[in-house]
Amino acid sequence: MELSPKLAAKFDKLQNSYPVKRSALIPMLLYGQDELGSVSDDLIAEIANRLGLNNVQVEETLAFYSMLHRKPIGKHHVQVCTNVACMLRGGTELLDHAKKRLEIGHKEVTKDGVSPWKKWSALGPVPVRLRFR
């Protein structure tokens, strides 16, 4: 994969910033995603090669963190809390409203490519203002 000079320089710096190369994995994924819009198979292979990992190790990390995306996510990223506490306080209605208003399903993007949304689960009760972020 041909990286831009700016991204290649960031990757080089990150590789030398940590005593264990693998520690640079998440920052490299985030920088790559910022520049390219999402994490592609080519980017995964490039990062794996630079850090001495296999592609599956990079994909495991990618699957774990919700802020990393395999597809472009649009300008606004809408998340609706779906844990039990949120559902008891009106989360289901909010979820239904978001689906209807945006005219898209879970992890889809609006026709104009601006607003994706997905379900999100907080670790505890969420104040009303944060149930929809």
Side-chain angles (χ1 to χ4, degrees), residues 14-24:
L14 285 168
Q15 286 175 257
N16 298 315
S17 296
Y18 299 96
V20 177
K21 276 187 167 186
R22 185 182 180 127
S23 300

Side-chain angles (χ1 to χ4, degrees), residues 42-113:
D42 290 340
L43 182 61
I44 289 171
E46 176 70 26
I47 291 172
N49 184 49
R50 285 173 172 261
L51 298 179
L53 303 171
N54 62 50
N55 289 9
V56 172
Q57 291 172 301
V58 177
E59 288 174 6
E60 288 171 344
T61 301
L62 179 63
F64 183 78
Y65 291 98
S66 63
M67 74 274 205
L68 297 168
H69 307 280
R70 296 282 275 154
K71 298 178 192 173
I73 61 163
K75 184 177 179 182
H76 305 290
H77 191 200
V78 179
Q79 296 178 316
V80 179
C81 179
T82 59
N83 75 8
V84 174
C86 289
M87 289 300 182
L88 291 172
R89 304 275 310 183
T92 303
E93 292 80 8
L94 187 58
L95 185 64
D96 292 340
H97 180 74
K99 286 180 187 178
K100 194 182 305 182
R101 177 78 176 178
L102 296 172
E103 299 176 347
I104 56 174
H106 180 58
K107 293 189 177 181
E108 293 180 356
V109 179
T110 54
K111 293 174 191 166
D112 59 7

